[in-house]
Amino acid sequence: MTARALVASPTPPAQVAAEELRRAYDWVPIEQAEQVVALGGDGFMLQTLHAMLERRRILPVFGMNLGTIGFLMNDWRLEGLEERLTRAKPFRVSPLSMTAVTIDGEQCMLPAINEVSLLRETRQTAKLEVTVNDRVVLEELVADGMLVATPAGSTAYNLSANGPILPLGSALIAVTPISPFRPRRWRGAILPEKTRIGIRVLEADKRPVSAVADQREIREVAQVYVEIDHMRDLTLLFDPEHALDDRITMEQFIA
């Protein structure tokens, strides 16, 4: 029998559901688990996945939605959990690795499951030089910022910024400007996942920019590099009738 751990968001609905599951099924501490069941919303799922990346012990996660949208989650049901976990379809998600260098020369590396975003810190627009595999492709992007998104994250902030939806398993990443001013006609790019993207902040002292890996922010960056990290692939488990790839596909037809 597969050893499973239960984790839950601190919100009242998730805590009530967790108590019901604890009474109905057997659980082990996460250090002894082979799978994880997570209760909450998309934000809690990201928090759970990041915690595993930090512990460097990555387990398959089956989420049940007790939050708002629950794009990365399955439906909440108390009954039939053992059967659902046995039938669950695994989906591999490759996180991004962000290397950020601040204007003071400090270097920080952070993973991102959805996206890496660069955002202006003041009312002045950001000026960014963009490279692809060390080749300059945009000498100067004038915008509120830009982001690099994975397929799993392409329906989140990336979609809100008018970026493309990427099918899961497409081996692509999206590069999307945020409120671009120059060049006016550039609306972003879709690149192979092997691409290494570099962003240099122009006039960094005058026009400060922060870099955000999912929810973790580094302020006043001078340079940022983003690439896929296949060494730390994550596995999400979904009910066959609610698979993540189907959800991403159908998002393209929602008005």
Side-chain angles (χ1 to χ4, degrees), residues 96-114:
L96 295 165
S97 175
M98 177 187 83
T99 302
V101 182
T102 69
I103 59 176
D104 294 329
E106 295 182 13
Q107 182 171 302
C108 182
M109 294 183 65
L110 293 173
I113 297 159
N114 274 355

Side-chain angles (χ1 to χ4, degrees), residues 6-23 27 37-45 47-48 63-68 73 76-78:
L6 178 65
V7 295
S9 164
T11 62
Q15 288 298 310
V16 170
E19 190 57 38
E20 293 178 356
L21 285 172
R22 290 190 184 101
R23 289 196 296 263
W27 305 97
V37 173
L39 307 179
D42 288 335
F44 184 71
M45 173 61 82
Q47 180 182 328
T48 301
M64 286 195 281
N65 185 31
L66 286 150
T68 306
M73 316 297 277
W76 155 249
R77 290 198 304 273
L78 175 63

